[in-house]
Amino acid sequence: MSKIIPKELSAEVQEHVVDWLKRFPDDQKQSAVLGSLHAIQHEHGYLPVVQMDALAERLEMPAIAVYEVASFYSMFELEPVGKHTIAVCTNLSCILRGGEDVLNYIESKLNIKCGQSTADGKYYLKNEEECLAGCCGAPMMQVNHVYYENLTEAKVDEILDVLD
Amino acid sequence: MTDIVNDESQQDLVTLTIDGVEVKAPRNTMLIEVADQAGVSIPRFCYHKHLSVAANCRMCMVEVEKAPKPLPACATPVSEGMKVYTHSELALDAQKGTMEFLLINHPLDCPVCDQGGECELQDVAMGYGGDVSRFNERKRVVRDKNIGPLVSTDMTRCIHCTRCVRFGSEIAGVSELGATGRGEFMEIGTYVEKSLSSELSGNVIDLCPVGALNAKPSRMKARAWEMVEQSNISAHDSFGSNLIMHTLRNEVIRVVPEENAEVNETWISDRDRFSYEGMYSDNRLTQVMQKNDGEWQPSYWSDALHSIAQTLKQYDAEEIGFLVSPNQSNEEIYLTQKLARALEIKNIDHRVNQIDFEQQHADPAFPWLGQSIADVGKQDAILIIGSDLRSEQPMLAHKVRQANARGAKVFVVNPHYCKFHMPLSGHVVVKPQEWLAKIVGLLAELNNSSKHNVPSDLNMLLSTGKVDSDMAGIAKTLLNVEHSSVLIGNLMQLHYEYSSLRAISYWLSQLTESSFGYVSTASNSAGASLLGALPHRTVMSKTIDEPGMNYQQMIQSPRKVFVLLGLEPEWDCVLPTQTLKALQQAEVVIAINSFTTEGMREYCDWMLPIKCYAEAEGTKINMEGRWQSYFKVVDSDDEIKDGWKILRMLGAELELDGFDYVDIDDVRQEISQSLDNSFGFSNELPSLPKIEIKNWDEGIVFSTGAIPIYSIDSIVRNASSLKQAQDLDESVMMINSIDVEKHGLIEGKWVKVSQDEDSSIFKCVINNKIEPGTVYIPRGLPRSEKLGGVYAPVQLKNLSVA
């Protein structure tokens, strides 16, 4: 995990930034910050400070303003985390349908608590996740960017075990 | 009935009632502002009259008739017929509710909090808080941050009003503090550990309504109610910020701004806020000291004055030179020149940051800003030539930024790269050796399009002027806007072609109908000029037929006796090595100063201790010509004397007439009697120098550099917290990578920089913002004191093996 993070944005991230910038007026460059942060997180798995600094310079905004956005949204990780992100919904509909049991099962299966990553760096169990608007399929979870609904222990095994 | 009328929108007034009192106010003014002016108090935390409206603390809730819920007074514009109740049941209920919420997470540690006794939260809680908390759960705890040597943090106390955050982006122009995280996890901080870098950062201390941000150097030193407050003025720049000093047991504990809408509004620079620490430095001179056979010995005032009087009588008047710091008070400057002139000594100067005196007869009566400070904020375009404004004049830079925020275009033409905290419409960095040609080009461009003409003497020069595309935009803007200014700064005054640069800048202003202003650096440059600390002019700028020697002449053909008032020549003068050599050659050097330096102990024969800053009283004139008084706030040791008293005693010792003042008011009265209408507020330049554009060989490297912000005068240099905040590697020289290659230098390694026989060594650091053909060496520091002038050719030699 102690990989050295480059101070510059990669060519791929740059491309995303340019793409986002196209959608906003020239004097509103900071509007591209959310989309660009996604691109950085996609590349590094989290948001390293040096990369946020590079983005701040690219979008001509104060670095602290980028940190504010990054720390506000729960979809952004500020520290390195496991490769696969698991978010289990424990809001009303899911909890009524056993969402908490699903969460407990994953915690014991992976031997980690909410907010932790497995020692092998493979799985990351996100902190308490709020409603992801999948109530009709409760209990549900999101693994990386995909929704999985009507979960059972067997189904969870099936989903997590195939991840590499 | 109270009328709240602002000049700007007199026409559109609305009438409303606040707590039954009828009030008139301009439409769309925020309710809280109207209430404040009408004298109705509404509690608030996040609202500040000079910051944007955030409406996030919800403390200023008031009842407005026909509104279904209480409204925040800070974000509710007034309208016709509005009926407002600030203390109705609904309003009070809302205010008390907000207060209860704010106190949920605020620690009840007022007895150990530095803010206790002057805390807005504490005050408001007295009026609106409950006596018993209903909150039994655990309070939130927030880790403290280290944000540098000036501001201390106790972030658990923060109530998230965001005044400090808004101050950064709106006033300081440097966003460093922010609100990271969300909900219960929201914190005010810098996210990454870093020191605040803004030169105005200390203002967040005053803005913070609780004890979260406090002055680090004053931490736990006094309780608010124990201290005595006294007005004072800034001692460091010609802006003349108004200050209040808080003292306890004869010690200055802290400094805060005194509101003056025409000068510093509610802000001061960090330099003004923390420089008082300099008074308590170990380098203070506390005794009369005499050098006997190379050994320093304490002496008595009577002996010293007697001996100095003998010296001054013994030498020919031409052999004596007076160098006066432009930071001294009007009274000190007036008496110094009076004493010198009574002895027929003509060699007196305060312009130790100038080497080109050719056009001194054309100088204005005093270096005037050309407008009031408040007017700077109202300009539509400002052209700054030769100023590292943020460092030289942090508060004037704020005013320029204010104009910029209103839409003014700001242009800078500087001999090296300087950081600005606003978007510049044009930022031209030009080598010092090509500076003149560059602005001649601009004048040539203007001469073609302006309806005014330059004097015919300039036509020949302008025909050779080469116009760059980056200058053409400046010309166009200056011609087209209504209110524009051309401001020339300290960096120009240092230049060897000052007369020519100034003349061209002056004509730039004339062709564009702009006001022409000087941004003088020292706190009393204006007083020093007006009251005759000059070789060619006496009090009130009256010309002397046969002028004495100026600073440079006194140094180049060294005088036998030097009297230094408040000056540390190795750091304060533009030609450090030459000045030091002249002082070392002199037979007698007398320093009247508050501090000692290593150099001083070498070249001086007498050192007389003078009161410093808040220990003395006097008057100074700021850049807009405002005559301001400063006061004695603390006592000094008995041995340390007032400057005016030393000069009076010396005058009496010399048996000169007119030195029988009883107190400083007598001196002041004499000065005011000499005031007449012979000088006006005018920067008109009556004569032109012979302007020639010299061509330098491409291969020659010129030095550039400015005095770092916290090395600008002796008090600041001795202020420990500011020194920490400066965080400057004095050994670094910055240079473009092109030159590194060209001269065979190695990044991070030592380089010998020489100017004729003077040399010093610096670490080579690549910075491509430095123009090729120049090196940036910070001035006024121990390493650069070993070099000659700034803006002069240097030779570079690599000292390391690759």
Side-chain angles (χ1 to χ4, degrees):
Chain A
M1 287 218 187
S2 58
K3 198 171 70 181
I4 292 169
I5 307 289
K7 279 188 180 156
E8 288 84 34
L9 300 176
S10 71
E12 206 182 332
V13 171
Q14 292 269 21
E15 235 171 78
H16 278 282
V17 175
V18 170
D19 188 49
W20 280 105
L21 280 173
K22 276 185 206 153
R23 304 166 204 206
F24 305 107
D26 265 357
D27 58 344
Q28 303 281 317
K29 288 200 172 74
Q30 72 272 25
S31 304
V33 68
L34 262 183
S36 307
L37 283 174
H38 273 300
I40 294 173
Q41 173 150 308
H42 192 78
E43 184 167 299
H44 296 280
Y46 74 109
L47 297 174
V49 170
V50 287
Q51 287 277 308
M52 287 197 275
D53 291 345
L55 182 65
E57 197 167 314
R58 178 68 179 82
L59 300 180
E60 293 161 30
M61 59 195 284
I64 183 72
V66 178
Y67 309 150
E68 284 178 324
V69 173
S71 61
F72 184 87
Y73 291 103
S74 65
M75 66 252 193
F76 291 128
E77 297 303 333
L78 303 170
E79 298 295 332
V81 292
K83 188 176 171 192
H84 301 290
T85 302
I86 306 160
V88 184
C89 177
T90 48
N91 261 178
L92 187 62
S93 308
C94 288
I95 216 162
L96 289 173
R97 303 268 297 144
E100 206 149 54
D101 297 333
V102 175
L103 181 63
N104 288 340
Y105 176 71
I106 296 176
E107 279 186 345
S108 61
K109 174 182 166 73
L110 300 177
N111 198 22
I112 49 173
K113 291 278 167 207
C114 257
Q116 293 177 340
S117 299
T118 51
D120 60 1
K122 195 168 167 189
Y123 300 105
Y124 166 54
L125 185 56
K126 258 185 108 86
N127 250 326
E128 195 179 351
E129 189 58 79
E130 301 305 336
C131 182
L132 289 164
C135 303
C136 53
M140 66 81 67
M141 69 174 176
Q142 187 189 31
V143 178
N144 296 328
H145 299 294
V146 187
Y147 278 25
Y148 297 94
E149 299 177 343
N150 302 314
L151 297 175
T152 58
E153 288 183 5
K155 207 164 169 189
V156 167
D157 285 342
E158 206 177 293
I159 296 159
L160 296 187
D161 291 348
V162 296
L163 296 172
D164 54 355
Chain B
M1 192 172 119
T2 320
D3 285 358
I4 313 296
V5 180
N6 291 341
D7 307 338
E8 288 164 22
S9 48
Q10 247 168 356
Q11 301 82 14
D12 198 10
L13 294 180
V14 295
T15 310
L16 65 152
T17 64
I18 302 179
D19 295 341
V21 181
E22 200 166 286
V23 178
K24 272 196 173 130
R27 185 182 299 280
N28 290 335
T29 318
M30 291 304 160
L31 193 48
I32 202 165
E33 210 178 310
V34 178
D36 277 353
Q37 291 183 47
V40 178
S41 83
I42 299 174
R44 86 286 306 267
F45 297 112
C46 72
Y47 171 78
H48 188 278
K49 63 182 173 184
H50 289 142
L51 299 176
S52 65
V53 170
N56 59 9
C57 77
R58 317 308 284 180
M59 193 61 217
C60 64
M61 292 297 201
V62 291
E63 181 179 354
V64 177
E65 199 182 68
K66 291 183 193 144
K69 294 186 289 181
L71 299 177
C74 70
T76 306
V78 294
S79 56
E80 185 61 46
M82 201 179 208
K83 285 198 170 61
V84 183
Y85 304 97
T86 65
H87 287 78
S88 64
E89 205 186 322
L90 186 73
L92 274 179
D93 208 34
Q95 290 161 359
K96 286 184 172 169
T98 304
M99 191 71 229
E100 187 171 14
F101 269 117
L102 284 173
L103 289 178
I104 276 182
N105 274 322
H106 190 84
L108 297 178
D109 62 349
C110 307
V112 297
C113 173
D114 246 5
Q115 193 89 354
E118 55 174 0
C119 172
E120 291 174 49
L121 188 74
Q122 204 178 24
D123 292 348
V124 176
M126 288 300 288
Y128 302 87
D131 46 2
V132 175
S133 173
R134 291 189 287 167
F135 185 75
N136 295 320
E137 288 74 13
R138 273 172 64 156
K139 284 179 189 265
R140 196 176 92 105
V141 176
V142 182
R143 198 179 287 267
D144 290 336
K145 282 102 188 162
N146 180 7
I147 54 171
L150 304 180
V151 183
S152 70
T153 62
D154 291 271
M155 296 321 286
T156 298
R157 296 181 185 140
C158 175
I159 57 166
H160 299 169
C161 71
T162 70
R163 277 186 192 173
C164 56
V165 177
R166 282 173 286 148
F167 173 81
S169 56
E170 292 163 22
I171 307 292
V174 190
S175 291
E176 294 178 292
L177 290 165
T180 55
R182 169 165 66 158
E184 169 118 306
F185 301 101
M186 179 172 144
E187 286 184 18
I188 300 291
T190 49
Y191 186 71
V192 287
E193 182 158 325
K194 74 184 279 268
S195 296
L196 298 183
S197 68
S198 164
E199 63 282 4
L200 303 178
S201 69
N203 290 301
V204 300
I205 299 164
D206 305 328
L207 285 174
C208 184
V210 296
L213 304 174
N214 273 315
K216 212 176 226 181
S218 322
R219 193 172 167 83
M220 304 295 175
K221 284 209 175 144
R223 306 299 323 214
W225 57 88
E226 298 174 313
M227 292 189 277
V228 175
E229 65 171 38
Q230 279 219 53
S231 296
N232 222 320
I233 58 165
S234 158
H236 311 294
D237 53 51
S238 56
F239 195 83
S241 289
N242 293 196
L243 316 173
I244 296 177
M245 293 191 150
H246 291 178
T247 60
L248 175 67
R249 293 181 207 103
N250 198 35
E251 193 190 337
V252 178
I253 301 293
R254 64 180 180 187
V255 175
V256 296
E258 176 162 43
E259 186 171 353
N260 185 339
E262 290 171 356
V263 185
N264 52 307
E265 297 158 64
T266 50
W267 321 117
I268 54 172
S269 64
D270 289 357
R271 201 159 62 187
D272 293 340
R273 188 181 297 267
F274 298 107
S275 66
Y276 68 89
E277 283 189 301
M279 295 197 299
Y280 305 106
S281 137
D282 293 339
N283 293 331
R284 272 305 290 274
L285 180 62
T286 52
Q287 249 182 334
V288 181
M289 300 293 283
Q290 179 188 15
K291 199 194 258 170
N292 266 337
D293 300 326
E295 290 286 314
W296 280 103
Q297 284 166 352
S299 180
Y300 297 101
W301 275 102
S302 52
D303 293 356
L305 293 168
H306 182 73
S307 165
I308 292 165
Q310 289 304 317
T311 308
L312 292 178
K313 275 195 246 174
Q314 190 187 328
Y315 285 85
D316 285 344
E318 299 91 80
E319 293 297 349
I320 303 172
F322 274 71
L323 290 174
V324 184
S325 160
N327 281 313
Q328 301 306 118
S329 70
N330 289 333
E331 292 77 9
E332 287 159 350
I333 283 164
Y334 174 80
L335 287 182
T336 309
Q337 64 82 35
K338 183 176 173 181
L339 184 121
R341 294 201 159 109
L343 296 167
E344 292 178 353
I345 297 166
K346 287 179 172 173
N347 308 330
I348 173 168
D349 210 345
H350 74 277
R351 297 164 301 171
V352 292
N353 267 321
Q354 190 173 328
I355 51 173
D356 174 10
F357 297 94
E358 194 205 316
Q359 289 282 305
Q360 62 178 12
H361 56 274
D363 287 347
F366 71 96
W368 178 44
L369 189 60
Q371 58 198 309
S372 71
I373 284 171
D375 281 346
V376 174
K378 297 175 189 153
Q379 297 298 306
D380 302 318
I382 302 173
L383 169 60
I384 297 163
I385 312 180
S387 180
D388 187 354
L389 205 60
R390 275 178 76 182
S391 153
E392 283 172 26
Q393 298 284 356
M395 286 301 296
L396 186 68
H398 157 64
K399 276 281 163 192
V400 172
R401 195 177 172 276
Q402 215 170 43
N404 180 257
R406 271 185 47 254
K409 294 199 155 60
V410 179
F411 303 96
V412 177
V413 182
N414 268 347
H416 57 76
Y417 174 81
C418 303
K419 226 173 171 178
F420 278 78
H421 49 14
M422 59 191 118
L424 297 175
S425 302
H427 191 177
V428 181
V429 181
V430 57
K431 287 183 231 184
Q433 61 270 42
E434 289 166 10
W435 198 3
L436 183 60
K438 196 90 174 174
I439 60 171
V440 165
L442 177 58
L443 189 62
E445 166 81 9
L446 277 167
N447 202 30
N448 297 332
S449 37
S450 169
K451 57 178 184 228
H452 302 281
N453 289 316
V454 292
S456 52
D457 292 358
L458 281 176
N459 283 334
M460 186 59 198
L461 176 77
L462 292 193
S463 62
T464 62
K466 202 168 87 248
V467 193
D468 298 289
S469 54
D470 48 356
M471 302 299 266
I474 303 180
K476 209 172 150 208
T477 310
L478 286 180
L479 276 175
N480 290 336
V481 300
E482 197 177 340
H483 301 290
S484 56
S485 292
V486 175
L487 300 177
I488 63 168
N490 184 45
L491 302 179
M492 185 187 286
Q493 199 187 2
L494 295 169
H495 198 273
Y496 60 92
E497 285 171 329
Y498 172 55
S499 302
S500 303
L501 289 165
R502 178 177 69 169
I504 298 295
S505 309
Y506 174 72
W507 283 104
L508 283 175
S509 74
Q510 296 304 299
L511 293 195
T512 54
E513 294 176 1
S514 307
S515 75
F516 180 67
Y518 292 81
V519 183
S520 54
T521 312
S523 60
N524 201 19
S525 301
S529 294
L530 197 59
L531 296 176
L534 291 168
H536 65 297
R537 281 177 184 169
T538 170
V539 183
M540 296 302 140
S541 294
K542 292 206 178 64
T543 307
I544 297 170
D545 293 338
E546 285 170 48
M549 290 178 153
N550 59 44
Y551 156 67
Q552 200 197 15
Q553 290 165 332
M554 284 187 244
I555 296 309
Q556 279 180 348
S557 53
R559 302 296 86 199
K560 288 187 180 148
V561 178
F562 275 104
V563 179
L564 309 172
L565 178 62
L567 213 58
E568 291 168 8
E570 55 269 50
W571 298 319
D572 287 330
C573 294
V574 60
L575 300 169
T577 34
Q578 294 179 36
T579 311
L580 279 178
K581 277 178 209 159
L583 292 170
Q584 276 152 4
Q585 278 175 39
E587 289 168 21
V588 184
V589 179
I590 301 147
I592 307 175
N593 204 354
S594 302
F595 300 91
T596 58
T597 68
E598 222 169 280
M600 218 177 263
R601 283 190 283 273
E602 249 170 63
Y603 56 71
C604 281
D605 299 278
W606 283 99
M607 297 192 291
L608 311 183
I610 180 175
K611 285 189 183 174
C612 175
Y613 194 20
E615 298 162 356
E617 60 180 321
T619 55
K620 286 182 179 180
I621 307 172
N622 80 353
M623 57 168 79
E624 55 173 351
R626 184 183 291 264
W627 209 298
Q628 302 192 105
S629 298
Y630 63 97
F631 305 96
K632 193 185 97 172
V633 172
V634 287
D635 293 319
S636 59
D637 287 0
D638 286 346
E639 271 295 287
I640 303 175
K641 302 276 185 213
D642 278 303
W644 73 271
K645 276 188 190 157
I646 299 173
L647 293 157
R648 183 201 62 185
M649 291 188 293
L650 193 57
E653 187 72 39
L654 285 157
E655 292 168 356
L656 300 174
D657 286 340
F659 277 85
D660 43 6
Y661 309 100
V662 176
D663 60 26
I664 194 166
D665 285 337
D666 295 346
V667 187
R668 220 167 279 171
Q669 211 159 4
E670 193 173 311
I671 297 175
S672 61
Q673 274 162 10
S674 68
L675 266 175
D676 53 27
N677 294 328
S678 61
F679 78 92
F681 279 52
S682 164
N683 281 340
E684 197 190 326
L685 209 56
S687 75
L688 270 180
K690 193 171 152 34
I691 303 176
E692 259 179 298
I693 294 177
K694 290 192 200 82
N695 286 318
W696 293 84
D697 184 346
E698 275 290 304
I700 293 176
V701 180
F702 263 64
S703 62
T704 65
I707 300 182
I709 182 166
Y710 301 137
S711 301
I712 207 147
D713 61 44
S714 53
I715 306 169
V716 184
R717 279 195 290 267
N718 283 296
S720 52
S721 302
L722 289 177
K723 202 169 184 176
Q724 278 179 52
Q726 185 149 283
D727 188 27
L728 176 93
D729 188 350
E730 296 182 357
S731 63
V732 160
M733 163 201 101
M734 288 191 289
I735 188 164
N736 194 293
S737 56
I738 296 174
D739 284 320
V740 169
E741 204 164 308
K742 203 157 129 192
H743 297 274
L745 311 179
I746 304 160
E747 169 147 50
K749 299 284 180 183
W750 294 101
V751 178
K752 184 177 172 189
V753 180
S754 12
Q755 285 178 324
D756 304 327
E757 69 250 50
D758 306 322
S759 69
S760 191
I761 58 164
F762 292 93
K763 222 182 285 163
C764 169
V765 167
I766 292 180
N767 183 339
N768 286 337
K769 284 188 170 136
I770 307 298
E771 278 287 289
T774 63
V775 286
Y776 182 91
I777 298 169
R779 291 178 52 226
L781 299 172
R783 253 171 224 272
S784 51
E785 95 189 26
K786 297 192 183 76
L787 286 176
V790 66
Y791 309 141
V794 290
Q795 287 86 47
L796 304 171
K797 196 172 161 237
N798 178 32
L799 291 178
S800 315
V801 202

